[in-house]
Amino acid sequence: MHDETQSVPGSVAISTVLQEQENSSTPTLSVVTSDPDLELNPDNDIAEIPVPFNDIPTTNTGTQTIGGLDMGAAYQIGGPTAALAGAADITDTKDGIEELCPVCGDKVSGYHYGLLTCESCKGFFKRTVQNKKVYTCVAERSCHIDKTQRKRCPFCRFQKCLEVGMKLEAVRADRMRGGRNKFGPMYKRDRARKLQIMRQRQLAAQTLRGAAQLSTDGMYANQPGTSPFANIHIKQEIQIPQVSSLTSSPDSSPSPIAVALGQVNSQMQLSGTTAQPALQIVGVPPGNGGGPAQNPTIEQKLWGAANSTTTSPHSLSPKSFQFETVVPGVAQGKVSPLIRDFVQAIDDREWQNSLYTLLQSQTYNQCEVDLFELMCKVLDQNLFSQVDWARNSIFFKDLKVDDQMKLLQHSWSDMLVLDHIHQRMHNNLPDETTLHNGQKFDLLSLGLLGVPTLIDHFNSITAKLQELKFDVSDYICVKFMLLLNPEVRGITNRKHVQEGFEQVQQALLEYCVTCYPQIQDKFNKLQAILQEIHSLAARGEEHLYLKHCNGSAPTQTLLMEMLHAKRK
DNA sequence: GATCAAGGCCAT
DNA sequence: ATGGCCTTGATC
């Protein structure tokens, strides 16, 4: 079986996505340029320290240069002369810092294109991107890459380069030599973090040695100087393997956590079964700097699953809501079949699974990711889910693609915000989560479309909805009403949209009256809140658009496509 | 001036 | 095509 990479797919047109219903091919979401220092959240568990490796006093760097080239700080520490260093802490850190190339396991020669890699993978990555190479895997796209076999399958090698986090955007389009790029500060922070980890390890080791020594003496006491913090150091030490494994994974094995979550495996399998971006990207930054995992996921979800499930989403959604518990009045037959079906079709577990899978896959093997960029990727994925949901929804699915596009272009951001509110209110989505690499990701920012200042508005909306006992049925009806907006300009089949809208509106009105008689005017109040959501979403869109215009937001995404569509 | 991550060169 | 070594140049 021969698999081939394809040429650059370009941006994802909304119409393409929608039209895929007919041919079920897989559009490729493209990639992302980003500034890794933009809105970085340095708030990780390990305090940043102002001492990069290269500031560590060594007197023997000269012996570590090769051919007159200073080989850099990272391996200076772990290099053959490290043992000669006088300071005990330097010799002790040797094991901690000696890194292997995450692609092939060869010796690391420095930071290249986003992370520590060996010289050969650096060269390979550069050649591939610069020369827009297109490779083929003659096997199953899952060839093992190590030092001895890395030459065998360039396809899988390049795929692995992307998987571990090598950044296409670090290869310069203009081929300019020298200087520094935007990743410089990230490399510096990564060095500092590694150094910090080494020191913690060393202290933990000392503490343990001390404790062992004292216990053999039949006494319990901590070493002077470290005693108050001994437990802390040990605790941090336990966390270290997760963190350090992100930058050195010679065999590319998923971390135990990822395996336990069942997340990385599924991602990797997907990435191995889909023609991937790798080379399509060349020239254009790849859709997901973090590797090929994202696109196949989206594609599979949207165009694989969706095409076969249009008839009965319920049966495929064992995770959908149990009406009896979430929809009051259903047992008494008070709820319209329309709302029943709506609610049953919801699969929030899938929503959250996709979210966490994406977050973990994007940070797997990455020492530090751009959190704004990551947020955009999540929004983008949500957007794909949104389109998928719409295309399989009653009323909407009967429309022509042009009409569908217009409706989606008009409502996507409102629906993203609404979805987030729903996830928080009904599924306990937390406000933040810790990523695979230890960074904290602000989940709430998704609901704010990346605008921190919208938090008050967001909270006020949420509070009002809570007062109204906004439930899952309300949510899904409101979502339909946002989507099926007959006011949208240029709709050809406005009658159908109008009918759909009115049916949902009527169902919601009846639902509010019958199931929530104690809440006065719930229906109209919900309508008013829709306006607020719309205004919040509009500000979010504006912000994202500005970010995009000044080059801070990923390009070639469905998200940006949507942002542009409204401004055409 | 030193650093070091880009790109380039060239023997293999 | 690969990969080890060299040159470059922005940043520290």
Side-chain angles (χ1 to χ4, degrees), chain A residues 176-206:
Chain A
M176 198 193 71
R177 304 174 72 181
R180 288 276 189 276
N181 64 11
K182 62 187 179 182
F183 297 108
M186 182 179 89
Y187 297 146
K188 191 176 173 183
R189 281 191 295 275
D190 192 49
R191 284 198 180 90
R193 194 178 299 174
K194 284 184 163 62
L195 182 60
Q196 177 82 352
I197 288 167
M198 291 189 317
R199 289 184 170 165
Q200 286 168 353
R201 283 185 168 177
Q202 185 196 330
L203 280 166
Q206 278 177 8

Side-chain angles (χ1 to χ4, degrees), chain A residues 431-446:
Chain A
D431 286 350
E432 72 169 23
T433 185
T434 301
L435 301 172
H436 216 145
N437 62 359
Q439 285 179 277
K440 292 271 197 303
F441 181 77
D442 182 17
L443 289 167
L444 189 54
S445 71
L446 298 169

